[in-house]
Amino acid sequence: MKIGFLGNTNNYPFIIASQMREMGCEVVLYIDAPANDTLHRPEHHASNIKYPYPEWIKENFSLRNAAFTHFPNIFLRKLLRELNTCDAVILNDYGHRFKNFIKPSVLSISMFSGGDLEIMADYDNVRKMKMVNPKLSGVPDFIKKAYAVFSVNQLRKGISKASLISYFPKGMIPNGEKFLSEIFRGKSFSRFNHFHIITEGFNYVAPPENKIFRIFSFTRFMWKTPFPPGRTIYENKGNDIMLRGIALFLKTYDKRLDIHFVEKGLHLQESKNLIDELGFADMVTWHKEMPFKDLKYHISKADIVFEQMGKHFVSGGLYAMLMGRPLIANARPEIFEPLLNEPTPICHALTEEDICNWLHKLTSDTELLYSIGKRSREYVLKHFDIMNETLYFKNFIQEKLAN
């Protein structure tokens, strides 16, 4: 089979494309991110991918141009010709709308990363984004509003033609469920619940014997409401809860911590200000955004890792669990425990008191630290291996083609 991939948010599609190639499929993957955009470039994720790319990975910076992605039949004919030679396409981000320009005989899977449904399929949110877009400052308001409606309609139409939807489990993001319901208008559709990561190359690493207990969090700082247009409340990471919980622990137990954060997120400066206000800035080391190999290094050097405490869900923190690190986060047990039929090993925390209590337990009990870390790895290997998603896609496409 030949499978085309368009849209590569957080390298998630790249991982599935790589695994499909290993299974014998012919694959073509388009990359639009510039060289310094480490989140969406394969060479920053996988050590076996070097730049310039192998033939199956194609750069196309025109995909960053809104006019080109809205009218690929005019501006991106060569790309469309390539996709039309595929048996199936797996679409992400702006890629969903390309199904409108691809032959009906080519199967499509709409694989969502979050904002491509929760934001870009939301008429109100897209309208607000167009109204404040500096590139459209000279455009009359009525044209901006019409452009927003056109953009959302085109995206929704492409999604409605998908043979399979790959999205987060039901109940996790209510707005996303609402938009899917509107897009399919009561028609049934095939769906896969995705929340997976690549597990290969992430070996268990025993916690280091740090003289000062070391914390690491690579979650972006996004917590101060109201959020600007183009963002939803479900992106709230609750970093302020984490910071206040750390401060409560320091005050209650009079222990020092070695705290490591990554400088990224909409509310980075507000977070630094809050840390100053809470009085533990001298314990914090800040790191620039980093490629995956450096992220693995910092996880291995930490005793525990923090993830989101807000209305989002654990994602990158799964890598820390895979390496045997206890993870303090809002585990969303109301979603995952019934779905997976297993209690979560995540140190579930919703309040600063929860965080303080977990820090006290984990800094005081080495046996507990090791035990949770090992259980965490087993849990991720069992339920979150992205190979499960790749195999599902491959089998789904084969069945559809056979029929």
Side-chain angles (χ1 to χ4, degrees), residues 220-224 239-240 242-243 261 264 266-278 280 286:
R220 66 173 52 87
F221 286 88
M222 190 159 174
W223 53 272
K224 196 171 181 63
N239 316 85
D240 56 325
M242 173 187 70
L243 297 177
F261 293 143
K264 65 175 181 178
L266 198 62
H267 302 123
L268 178 60
Q269 190 55 54
E270 291 89 339
S271 301
K272 290 184 175 182
N273 294 343
L274 181 56
I275 290 169
D276 285 337
E277 179 187 318
L278 293 170
F280 61 89
W286 290 97

Side-chain angles (χ1 to χ4, degrees), residues 76-259:
L76 295 168
R77 292 179 181 176
K78 183 179 177 181
L79 187 152
L80 284 177
R81 282 197 298 271
E82 175 82 63
L83 294 180
N84 275 321
T85 66
C86 295
D87 295 295
V89 289
I90 296 180
L91 307 174
N92 170 254
D93 196 22
Y94 55 80
H96 304 293
R97 62 169 59 101
F98 275 66
K99 179 55 180 170
N100 299 313
F101 305 94
I102 297 171
K103 293 187 302 186
S105 58
V106 178
L107 297 174
S108 73
I109 295 175
S110 274
M111 183 170 66
F112 296 105
S113 50
D116 49 356
L117 179 63
E118 298 135 42
I119 295 171
M120 301 313 297
D122 182 346
Y123 288 103
D124 187 52
N125 216 328
V126 173
R127 178 184 59 78
K128 290 176 181 176
M129 289 167 63
K130 302 304 181 192
M131 297 301 283
V132 300
N133 188 340
K135 294 180 180 178
L136 302 176
S137 57
V139 178
D141 285 353
F142 78 93
I143 294 180
K144 292 180 187 175
K145 292 176 183 177
Y147 177 26
V149 171
F150 164 75
S151 179
V152 174
N153 281 344
Q154 189 187 47
L155 184 81
R156 287 186 171 209
K157 184 179 178 183
I159 294 168
S160 73
K161 296 178 179 180
S163 302
L164 175 68
I165 295 297
S166 183
Y167 190 51
F168 307 112
K170 287 184 178 179
M172 190 174 286
I173 305 173
N175 268 8
E177 300 300 330
K178 173 177 176 287
F179 299 145
L180 284 176
S181 177
E182 291 172 358
I183 289 167
F184 286 95
R185 299 178 182 179
K187 293 188 298 182
S188 62
F189 58 92
S190 299
R191 175 171 177 163
F192 180 83
N193 289 326
H194 80 205
F195 41 82
H196 300 84
I197 63 167
I198 190 168
T199 60
E200 186 181 353
F202 286 85
N203 300 321
Y204 175 81
V205 181
E209 296 181 4
N210 293 317
K211 290 182 179 179
I212 302 176
F213 199 81
R214 180 161 169 163
I215 288 171
F216 182 46
S217 175
F218 50 94
T219 303
R220 66 173 52 87
F221 286 88
M222 190 159 174
W223 53 272
K224 196 171 181 63
T225 56
F227 288 171
R231 301 290 185 176
T232 77
I233 194 62
Y234 301 107
E235 294 180 87
N236 190 336
K237 305 291 189 178
N239 316 85
D240 56 325
I241 300 170
M242 173 187 70
L243 297 177
R244 295 184 190 281
I246 291 171
L248 180 61
F249 168 80
L250 294 170
K251 179 181 177 182
T252 305
Y253 295 100
D254 194 27
K255 292 182 179 178
R256 285 191 66 80
L257 294 171
D258 181 15
I259 304 166

